[in-house]
């Protein structure tokens, strides 16, 4: 700070810069199905690729979104997948701003259990819908990052068959705030 810059001006500038963050300070994501830092159960494990889980999407609930939120998006991502780019397990967008939860089991390919207007993007399994955990046998437990995004737009215009990376790009271009938690899952050799 220059010696001649009034402290009140510096303080005011700092408060203005922090204002967008203040609205998101209470934004949180949780689940009655999965506790943060816990291990996923067989219910959230994929059924295929050598895994024999139930492939049921967990219940998710959020609160404290910024007041200017016009829609939400939700992703489940495994950064530890040995692909060089991670693995997208679930991508939902155009969730109405009035929604505060996704019920357990809503991640079916048809998305019938999702809030009205919600759309699911194609995951790295090649299809829309929830795809559970299925790391390679013997890998250290992988991290599964559940994230809800508050968006400044009513709708993301994603072309049919758009990739999870494209949806992620559009989410980040319209993001007001996000809230996350992580769970783990590993398979023995």
């Amino acid at each position: 700070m220059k010696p001649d810059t009034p402290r009140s001006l510096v303080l005011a500038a700092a408060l203005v810069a922090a204002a967008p963050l203040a609205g998101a300070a209470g934004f949180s994501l949780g689940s009655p199905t999965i506790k943060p830092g816990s291990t996923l159960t067989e219910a959230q494990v994929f059924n295929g690729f050598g895994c024999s889980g139930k492939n049921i999407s967990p219940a998710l609930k959020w609160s404290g979104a910024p007041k200017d939120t016009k829609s939400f998006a939700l992703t489940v991502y495994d950064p530890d997948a040995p692909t060089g780019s991670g693995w997208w397990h679930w991508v939902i967008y155009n969730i109405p701003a009035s929604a505060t939860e996704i019920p357990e089991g809503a991640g079916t390919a048809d998305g019938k259990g999702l809030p009205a207007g919600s759309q699911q993007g194609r995951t790295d399994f090649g299809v829309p819908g929830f795809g559970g955990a299925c790391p390679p046998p013997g890998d250290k437990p992988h991290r599964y990052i559940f994230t809800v995004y508050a968006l400044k737009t009513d709708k993301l215009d994603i072309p049919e068959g758009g990739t999870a990376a494209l949806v992620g790009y559009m989410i980040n271009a319209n993001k007001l705030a996000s809230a996350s938690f992580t769970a783990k899952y590993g398979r023995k050799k």
Side-chain angles (χ1 to χ4, degrees):
M1 174 168 72
K2 290 181 173 179
D4 60 343
T5 304
R7 288 185 190 269
S8 59
L9 183 59
V10 172
L11 180 58
L15 288 173
V16 167
L21 300 175
F27 192 31
S28 64
L29 173 66
S31 171
T33 311
I34 303 168
K35 300 300 175 219
S38 69
T39 299
L40 298 175
T41 69
E42 290 303 308
Q44 295 92 39
V45 172
F46 192 66
N47 188 4
F49 285 63
C51 290
S52 57
K54 295 180 181 175
N55 204 47
I56 299 171
S57 60
L60 299 167
K61 296 182 179 200
W62 57 89
S63 63
K67 65 180 171 94
D68 295 337
T69 301
K70 293 185 178 176
S71 69
F72 293 101
L74 189 132
T75 62
V76 180
Y77 176 69
D78 171 5
D80 302 316
T83 64
S85 61
W87 193 272
W88 294 99
H89 286 264
W90 202 13
V91 180
I92 312 169
Y93 55 96
N94 297 340
I95 303 168
S98 59
T100 58
E101 65 183 309
I102 302 288
E104 185 174 40
T108 57
D110 61 17
K112 285 184 180 178
L114 295 173
S118 300
Q119 293 180 269
Q120 295 183 107
R122 187 166 46 100
T123 68
D124 285 334
F125 289 107
V127 295
F130 177 76
C134 187
D139 266 15
K140 68 176 184 168
H142 286 204
R143 295 168 291 159
Y144 297 88
I145 304 169
F146 294 77
T147 306
V148 65
Y149 301 88
L151 305 178
K152 62 184 177 183
T153 185
D154 292 331
K155 183 178 180 192
L156 296 179
D157 190 20
I158 308 294
E160 176 124 7
T163 64
L166 174 62
V167 176
Y169 176 84
M170 297 301 288
I171 287 171
N172 283 299
N174 291 283
K175 178 173 75 169
L176 293 170
S178 63
S180 297
F181 72 86
T182 302
K184 295 183 177 185
Y185 183 77
R187 294 168 62 201
K188 294 180 182 175
K189 259 189 170 175

